[in-house]
Amino acid sequence: MSLSARVPFIALLTLFLISSPGKAIAASPRLYLDPATATVSSGSTVTLELKIDTAGIEAAAADAKISFPPATIGIVNVIAGPFFPKLSKVINSTTGLVDLHAYFDSTDVTGKSGTGTVAVITVKGTAAGAAQLTLSCTSGSTTDSNIANPQGQD
């Protein structure tokens, strides 16, 4: 039974991070959405954070590709978080794709390690039903979500 049949006019946003498998002993750098799940009524908004954990490795930039079902939810806005000082974004409400690039510019430090917020994303429920935001990340790919070190390597 779908959620929309039980709770009319509520859109449940279930956020998933699709990431490459980590090593069993050491943590790997990662991007993830926080909170991992959220509920938003149709016409209301909820705020999510794109977070980074560099696992102790210096990061100079992060790219995130987030897909969403535009018939159920919309992306209202995306702003830079405090981890990287610069953020460029493309929000395509027709195809349901958010393309983010967070980075240091030439006057800033060249790298940073630790955990923090890369971006703050405001999501709006537009119709009843279940929805899923997917952070695309394929091991070995440089065209989806990635964390780059100061040498430009993912």
Side-chain angles (χ1 to χ4, degrees), residues 68-95:
F68 63 95
T72 310
I73 57 174
I75 305 300
V76 176
N77 196 19
V78 179
I79 60 172
F83 195 85
F84 293 107
K86 304 292 182 182
L87 177 75
S88 65
K89 64 187 176 201
V90 176
I91 302 169
N92 189 324
S93 297
T94 303
T95 62

Side-chain angles (χ1 to χ4, degrees), residues 31 63-67 97-100 134-137 142-146:
L31 294 170
D63 294 322
K65 299 220 186 275
I66 304 168
S67 60
L97 184 63
V98 179
D99 192 0
L100 304 175
T134 303
L135 184 57
S136 173
C137 186
T142 58
T143 61
D144 58 3
S145 300
N146 289 284

Side-chain angles (χ1 to χ4, degrees), residues 17-132:
L17 169 65
I18 302 173
S19 62
S20 58
K23 297 178 183 174
I25 298 174
S28 296
R30 68 186 183 119
L31 294 170
Y32 60 98
L33 294 166
D34 185 42
T37 61
T39 301
V40 62
S41 301
S42 181
S44 296
T45 61
V46 65
T47 302
L48 311 170
E49 294 184 351
L50 175 64
K51 300 263 190 164
I52 188 170
D53 180 350
T54 69
I57 299 168
E58 284 213 346
D63 294 322
K65 299 220 186 275
I66 304 168
S67 60
F68 63 95
T72 310
I73 57 174
I75 305 300
V76 176
N77 196 19
V78 179
I79 60 172
F83 195 85
F84 293 107
K86 304 292 182 182
L87 177 75
S88 65
K89 64 187 176 201
V90 176
I91 302 169
N92 189 324
S93 297
T94 303
T95 62
L97 184 63
V98 179
D99 192 0
L100 304 175
H101 180 64
Y103 57 97
F104 294 105
D105 66 19
S106 59
T107 62
D108 293 321
V109 296
T110 58
K112 181 178 181 178
S113 63
T115 60
T117 301
V118 174
V120 178
I121 305 165
T122 304
V123 178
K124 182 176 184 176
T126 58
Q132 192 169 275

